[in-house]
């Protein structure tokens, strides 16, 4: 069970000595002993406005924090009172009462700001105590302090490294309770009654418009709304007559205004029920020792001068808000570009138009959220960042276009590459078919949408990479066409020779026919002559004539036989020539088929040779390894034999002496050992 902290009275937590804040070691020791989560309620406001009275009521006491009705303020620095939480048994309620702001005796606004900021950073519920009504001065002061607290928190807290905007502290920012003391106005707006919370919301509501005056009006309200996600307002009427306010500490509730008593009770009930434990980033609840560390961290940061003065704070606030405005503008630009841009764009102008539209919106966002960017330095910085974003989108657009086009080219030209590997275009006329197919695929590629600005460049690079394939197909095509031309010429020559042979044969036949017709006429004439002579000549003469006639016939037959032999020889030569030409044609066709088969066999043979070479390489590697192993073994054997020889004192350089030892003489017993026998076998 956690130990119970007993503090009968408040103790100074942070001393304010001559404008310098110093943590009280005794109070820190008490904090370090608290192991329970702490609910830290801090109150800040002008001096002599009843802050200590409300804190005493939260402690359940009528006395505790000092209450004075004199013109001289009594509370100095920050006072602490740790009491058990009335509604959360496992929590400790830490009440922080602060030194009043605006003390004329102190005259140091910086010291007031330090106390204000420190109370805001340490609290989980921040009570802002003001008088009568909510005015612009109170809003500006609260806005100024919230910005300084965010700046100090970023500089000093190790748990918040890297956080840049007050909006990032939402999960750890305190709840705001705005208390209006001695309230005398009617809660009414536009003729209707409103609540205190509505009064606070109306006071913090920004106005519509973009001019600089409205921006200055809206800036503190927007910052307060972002910093305090939970806001509550309480009004308090005058507790009693003014002449009795000096005895407020001793007055009973019956002596006070009943409405005031009820308002105080409602305030305390809300604090007890709705105030949460102090929390760090990551949902870490703060106990006493962690609160002690926070006190030391922030006090040391303030003492080291990390909290700027009022003049520097304006510049710091302007830088914080303008940096945040730049980040918001860049985030808006990125959001619009990612939503609108679909990479790759068809043209560069399309991307430029989207960039200009998003750039205009981003500048509008910056102008809406900027604060006192007098020399437009942050706007110029924004323009530089937008130019860098534009260059990045151009680069990404080119890369996306190149990737898209490369994928399209691989997909479209994949069938063509497969046909090339199968050798479909390694034929006569294959180059023309290859070019025709390439043009068809190029047309298909051009029809594909959203290729981007790298479409033509990607296509040309791809076609250049395939130039070697195209040249190989062209060379093969030219070789095959030349071969076909040669075969065609040979065929034409054979046809011409055949036609010439036919003409010669027809001429020979016609000549032979004419000769036979002439012979028939001669024979007929001879027959008629013989008929005439037979009637008048002597039989011997007739016989002589017959012999002479037969001789002539034999001579002519001999001549005809010689002519027939010549014709036969000519026909034989012609038939041989035709057979040779026919064989050449058949051989040419076979050679064409063989050439195509050889091309395929050569491709297959290359693959087999490559595979055989790899196997031969593996065998040779294994053979080299075996030979090296044998060589190593032989070297070991030679070394061993040399060692045996040296041990037996037998010189290897003189084989004659060794042979003499091996002569058929009685061997001494020392030479019958295995070593000597091995040496003898080697020498022999």
């Amino acid at each position: 069970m956690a130990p119970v902290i007993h503090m009968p009275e408040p103790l100074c937590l942070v001393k304010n000595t001559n404008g310098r804040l110093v943590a009280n070691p005794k109070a820190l020791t008490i904090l370090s002993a608290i192991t329970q989560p702490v609910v830290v309620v801090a109150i800040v406001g002008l001096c002599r406005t009843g802050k200590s009275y409300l804190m005493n009521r939260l402690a359940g006491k009528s006395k505790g924090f000092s209450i004075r009705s004199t013109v001289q303020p009594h509370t100095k620095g920050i006072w602490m009172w740790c009491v058990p939480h009335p509604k959360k048994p496992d929590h400790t309620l830490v009440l922080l009462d602060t030194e009043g702001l605006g003390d004329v005796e102190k005259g140091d606004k910086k010291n007031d700001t330090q106390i204000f900021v420190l109370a805001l950073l340490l609290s989980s519920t921040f009570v802002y105590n003001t008088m009568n009504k909510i005015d612009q001065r109170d809003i500006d002061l609260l806005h100024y302090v919230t910005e300084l607290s965010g700046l100090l928190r970023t500089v000093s807290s190790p748990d918040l490294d890297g956080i840049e905007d007050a909006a990032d502290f939402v999960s750890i920012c305190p709840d705001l309770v705005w208390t209006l003391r001695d309230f005398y106005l009617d809660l009414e707006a536009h003729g209707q009654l409103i609540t205190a919370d509505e009064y606070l919301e109306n006071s913090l509501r920004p106005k519509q418009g973009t001019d600089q005056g409205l921006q200055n009006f809206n800036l503190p309200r927007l910052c307060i709304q972002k910093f305090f996600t939970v806001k509550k307002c309480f009004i308090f009427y005058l507790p009693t007559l003014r002449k009795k306010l000096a005895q407020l500490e001793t007055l009973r509730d019956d002596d006070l205004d009943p409405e005031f008593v009820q308002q105080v009770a409602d305030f305390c009930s809300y604090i007890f029920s709705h105030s949460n434990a102090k929390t760090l980033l990551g949902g870490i609840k703060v106990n006493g020792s962690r609160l002690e560390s926070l006190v030391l961290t922030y006090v040391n940061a303030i003492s080291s001068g990390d909290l700027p003065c009022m003049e520097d704070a304006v510049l710091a606030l302007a830088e914080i808000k303008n940096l945040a405005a730049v980040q918001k503008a860049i985030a808006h630009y990125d959001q619009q570009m990612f939503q609108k841009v679909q990479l790759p764009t068809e043209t560069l102008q399309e991307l430029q138009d989207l960039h200009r539209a998003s750039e205009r919106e981003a500048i509008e966002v910056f102008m809406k959220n900027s604060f006192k960017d007098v020399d437009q330095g942050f706007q110029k910085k924004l323009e530089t960042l937008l130019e860098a974003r534009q260059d990045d989108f151009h680069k990404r657009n080119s890369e996306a276009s190149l990737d898209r086009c490369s994928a399209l080219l691989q997909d479209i030209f994949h069938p063509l590459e497969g046909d090339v590997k199968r050798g479909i275009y390694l034929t006569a006329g294959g180059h023309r078919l290859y070019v025709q197919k390439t043009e068809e695929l190029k047309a298909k590629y051009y029809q594909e949408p959203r290729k981007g600005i790298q479409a033509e460049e990607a296509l040309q690079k791809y076609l250049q990479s395939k130039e070697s394939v195209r040249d190989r197909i062209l060379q093969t095509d030219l070789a095959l066409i030349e071969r076909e031309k040669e075969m065609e010429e040979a065929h034409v020559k054979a046809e011409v020779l055949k036609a010439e042979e036919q003409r010669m044969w027809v001429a020979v036949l016609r000549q032979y026919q004419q000769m036979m017709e002439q012979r028939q006429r001669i024979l007929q004439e001879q027959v008629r002559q013989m008929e005439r002579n037979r009637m008048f000549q002597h039989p011997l003469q007739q016989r002589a004539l017959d012999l002479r006639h037969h001789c002539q016939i034999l001579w002519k037959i001999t001549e005809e036989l010689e002519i027939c032999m010549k014709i036969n020889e000519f026909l034989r030569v012609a038939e041989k020539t035709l057979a040779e030409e026919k064989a050449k044609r058949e051989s040419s066709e076979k050679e064409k088929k063989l050439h195509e088969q050889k091309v395929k066999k050569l491709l297959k043979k290359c693959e087999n040779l490559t595979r055989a070479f790899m196997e031969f390489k593996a065998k040779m590697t294994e053979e080299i390894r075996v030979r090296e192993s044998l060589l190593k073994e032989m070297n070991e054997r030679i070394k061993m034999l040399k060692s045996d020889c040296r041990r037996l004192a037998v010189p290897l350089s003189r084989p004659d002496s060794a042979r003499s030892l091996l002569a058929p003489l009685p061997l001494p017993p020392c030479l019958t050992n295995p070593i000597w026998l091995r040496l003898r076998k080697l020498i022999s």
Side-chain angles (χ1 to χ4, degrees):
M1 186 174 179
V4 179
I5 302 300
H6 295 284
M7 287 187 65
E9 59 183 3
L11 183 66
C12 183
L13 175 62
V14 179
K15 298 179 180 179
N16 185 8
T17 305
N18 298 325
R20 181 176 178 83
L21 301 182
V22 180
N24 184 5
K26 185 176 180 181
L28 296 178
T29 302
I30 294 175
L31 283 178
S32 64
I34 300 175
T35 59
Q36 296 177 334
V38 293
V39 178
V40 185
V41 180
I43 189 168
V44 174
L46 295 175
C47 57
R48 294 174 295 277
T49 55
K51 301 185 300 298
S52 300
Y53 177 82
L54 291 179
M55 300 307 283
N56 287 336
R57 286 307 182 104
L58 289 175
K61 306 291 184 180
S62 59
K63 295 182 180 180
F65 290 109
S66 178
I67 300 177
R68 292 290 184 271
S69 60
T70 61
V71 295
Q72 183 179 8
H74 187 69
T75 303
K76 294 292 184 180
I78 299 178
W79 285 68
M80 175 187 73
W81 198 353
C82 300
V83 297
H85 199 288
K87 291 190 177 182
K88 297 179 180 180
D90 56 344
H91 288 67
T92 297
L93 182 62
V94 179
L95 303 174
L96 301 180
D97 188 16
T98 62
E99 178 178 343
L101 306 177
D103 184 7
V104 293
E105 295 183 1
K106 182 168 55 178
D108 188 358
K109 293 183 179 180
K110 182 177 180 180
N111 188 250
D112 286 346
T113 304
Q114 292 174 349
I115 294 174
F116 201 147
V117 170
L118 185 57
L120 182 62
L121 290 173
L122 295 177
S123 63
S124 59
T125 298
F126 181 74
V127 181
Y128 188 32
N129 193 67
T130 61
M131 293 298 294
N132 305 133
K133 64 183 184 303
I134 299 175
D135 57 20
Q136 186 63 36
R137 181 175 58 86
D138 297 330
I139 293 176
D140 290 339
L141 179 59
L142 182 59
H143 163 240
Y144 166 68
V145 172
T146 56
E147 293 292 348
L148 289 184
S149 66
L151 180 62
L152 180 62
R153 193 196 313 251
T154 303
V155 171
S156 60
S157 178
D159 297 329
L160 304 178
D161 187 24
I163 305 298
E164 297 180 354
D165 195 354
D168 297 323
F169 297 121
V170 168
S171 61
I172 58 172
C173 289
D175 298 341
L176 173 64
V177 177
W178 198 315
T179 56
L180 298 173
R181 309 302 295 275
D182 299 347
F183 189 76
Y184 60 86
L185 299 176
D186 294 330
L187 288 176
E188 183 179 337
H190 306 292
Q192 295 182 352
L193 295 178
I194 60 174
T195 63
D197 292 337
E198 291 173 339
Y199 173 53
L200 176 60
E201 290 297 328
N202 292 338
S203 300
L204 297 178
R205 181 177 293 116
K207 295 181 180 180
Q208 299 296 326
T210 58
D211 60 86
Q212 191 63 40
L214 288 177
Q215 289 185 15
N216 295 336
F217 176 85
N218 293 334
L219 178 62
R221 288 162 173 79
L222 293 173
C223 292
I224 292 173
Q225 289 182 0
K226 288 182 180 180
F227 195 88
F228 299 105
T229 57
V230 178
K231 297 177 287 294
K232 183 69 176 177
C233 181
F234 289 95
I235 61 172
F236 297 92
Y237 297 143
L238 193 65
T240 185
L241 298 176
R242 292 191 178 275
K243 62 182 180 179
K244 294 183 179 182
L245 290 177
Q247 296 83 28
L248 185 61
E249 194 175 47
T250 59
L251 292 177
R252 297 179 303 173
D253 289 347
D254 296 339
D255 299 328
L256 300 176
D257 186 345
E259 287 186 313
F260 175 79
V261 173
Q262 184 60 43
Q263 291 166 347
V264 172
D266 293 341
F267 168 77
C268 294
S269 176
Y270 176 85
I271 296 296
F272 295 150
S273 301
H274 295 84
S275 295
N276 298 316
K278 178 69 175 175
T279 306
L280 299 178
L281 280 179
I284 302 174
K285 290 187 176 182
V286 176
N287 56 17
S289 60
R290 290 196 180 100
L291 183 60
E292 175 195 10
S293 299
L294 290 178
V295 172
L296 290 174
T297 299
Y298 293 137
V299 169
N300 292 336
I302 292 174
S303 300
S304 63
D306 288 333
L307 190 64
C309 63
M310 181 64 75
E311 291 78 7
D312 295 335
V314 175
L315 298 177
L317 289 176
E319 184 174 1
I320 291 172
K321 299 312 298 181
N322 290 328
L323 284 175
V326 170
Q327 294 299 325
K328 289 179 182 178
I330 292 295
H332 181 79
Y333 173 84
D334 291 339
Q335 179 185 8
Q336 293 299 313
M337 290 295 287
F338 281 119
Q339 288 178 355
K340 297 178 181 179
V341 177
Q342 184 179 359
L343 298 179
T345 58
E346 287 291 348
T347 61
L348 185 61
Q349 187 63 37
E350 180 182 350
L351 183 62
Q352 287 290 104
D353 294 341
L354 293 174
H355 163 73
R356 293 191 185 95
S358 300
E359 183 182 33
R360 285 194 300 270
E361 294 182 11
I363 293 176
E364 290 176 0
V365 171
F366 171 78
M367 296 301 296
K368 183 178 180 181
N369 294 276
S370 63
F371 175 68
K372 293 186 179 301
D373 187 18
V374 180
D375 56 352
Q376 296 184 341
F378 287 93
Q379 185 174 350
K380 294 177 181 178
K381 181 178 180 180
L382 172 62
E383 293 173 354
T384 302
L385 293 175
L386 291 176
E387 289 179 1
R389 286 289 201 283
Q390 179 187 11
D391 295 339
D392 181 62
F393 270 102
H394 284 171
K395 181 179 179 181
R396 291 171 57 191
N397 186 40
S398 298
E399 293 175 353
S401 175
L402 191 60
D403 294 341
R404 162 74 173 163
C405 294
S406 299
L408 276 177
L409 289 170
Q410 291 296 330
D411 184 53
I412 293 174
F413 283 84
H414 179 71
L416 178 63
E417 294 177 357
D419 293 342
V420 170
K421 291 180 180 179
R422 290 191 294 271
I424 293 178
Y425 298 102
L426 296 177
T427 59
H431 181 262
R432 179 180 57 80
L433 296 176
Y434 178 80
V435 172
Q436 181 179 355
K437 187 65 176 178
T438 301
E439 293 298 325
E440 292 176 0
L441 296 179
K442 285 171 61 177
K444 183 179 179 181
Y445 171 75
Y446 284 129
Q447 292 174 359
E448 290 291 335
R450 303 203 66 81
K451 295 185 293 295
I453 59 177
Q454 296 291 326
E456 188 63 30
E457 183 177 351
L459 176 61
Q460 294 304 321
K461 286 183 179 179
Y462 177 81
L463 295 177
Q464 289 176 4
S465 67
K466 301 300 178 182
E467 282 293 331
S468 59
V469 176
R470 182 174 180 176
D471 293 341
R472 180 164 61 89
I473 294 175
L474 177 60
Q475 295 300 325
T476 303
D477 189 10
L478 292 176
L480 293 176
I481 291 175
E482 186 66 25
R483 181 63 179 170
E484 284 190 352
K485 286 182 178 179
E486 293 177 357
M487 294 173 63
E488 185 67 25
E489 290 177 358
H491 179 70
V492 170
K493 288 181 180 179
E495 292 293 333
V496 171
L497 184 61
K498 183 178 179 181
E500 185 66 26
E501 179 184 350
Q502 289 178 353
R503 286 195 300 272
M504 290 176 63
W505 181 250
V506 170
V508 169
L509 291 177
R510 186 180 295 110
Q511 184 180 1
Y512 179 76
Q513 185 178 3
Q514 292 176 357
M515 184 180 67
M516 293 301 292
E517 291 176 354
Q518 184 179 3
R519 179 184 174 187
Q520 187 177 5
R521 288 194 299 273
I522 293 173
L523 287 174
Q524 290 176 356
E525 183 64 29
Q526 287 178 355
V527 170
R528 287 192 296 271
Q529 186 65 29
M530 287 175 65
E531 289 292 334
R532 287 192 299 270
N533 293 334
R534 188 172 53 183
M535 297 173 61
F536 301 103
Q537 289 182 354
H538 193 269
L540 292 176
Q541 293 178 347
Q542 183 67 34
R543 186 177 181 182
L545 290 172
D546 292 335
L547 289 172
R548 184 179 177 182
H549 175 67
H550 287 303
C551 289
Q552 291 177 353
I553 291 172
L554 289 173
W555 179 75
K556 291 181 179 179
I557 290 173
T558 302
E559 289 181 350
E560 290 174 1
L561 288 174
E562 289 178 356
I563 292 172
C564 289
M565 290 177 65
K566 290 181 180 180
I567 291 172
N568 188 25
E569 180 67 22
F570 176 77
L571 291 175
R572 187 177 63 80
V573 172
E575 289 177 356
K576 184 178 179 180
T577 303
L578 289 175
E580 289 177 354
E581 290 299 327
K582 183 178 181 181
K584 285 183 180 180
R585 288 197 301 271
E586 293 177 354
S587 175
S588 176
E589 292 177 358
K590 289 181 181 179
E591 285 179 3
K592 179 181 178 181
K593 293 180 181 179
L594 287 174
H595 178 73
E596 293 177 356
Q597 292 177 358
K598 284 180 180 180
V599 170
K600 295 181 180 179
K601 287 181 179 181
L602 284 175
L603 292 175
K604 187 174 181 180
K605 190 173 181 180
C606 288
E607 295 178 359
N608 294 335
L609 287 175
T610 302
R611 188 162 49 251
F613 173 74
M614 297 305 295
E615 293 177 356
F616 176 75
K617 182 179 179 182
K619 289 181 180 179
M620 290 303 298
T621 303
E622 181 64 22
E623 182 69 22
I624 291 171
R625 187 186 64 77
V626 172
R627 289 179 180 273
E628 288 180 352
S629 177
L630 290 175
L631 180 62
K632 184 177 180 181
E633 184 178 354
M634 292 299 297
N635 290 334
E636 291 294 332
R637 288 184 180 181
I638 291 172
K639 288 181 181 179
M640 185 173 63
L641 289 174
K642 286 182 179 181
S643 176
D644 292 345
C645 291
R646 283 195 299 268
R647 188 166 57 252
L648 295 173
V650 178
L652 294 176
S653 61
R654 297 183 61 187
D656 294 335
S657 62
R659 290 192 181 93
S660 64
L661 292 174
L662 299 175
L665 295 175
L667 296 174
C670 63
L671 298 179
T672 61
N673 60 72
I675 299 174
W676 173 250
L677 292 177
R678 193 189 315 165
L679 178 62
R680 180 181 176 183
K681 184 178 180 181
L682 178 64
I683 294 174
S684 62

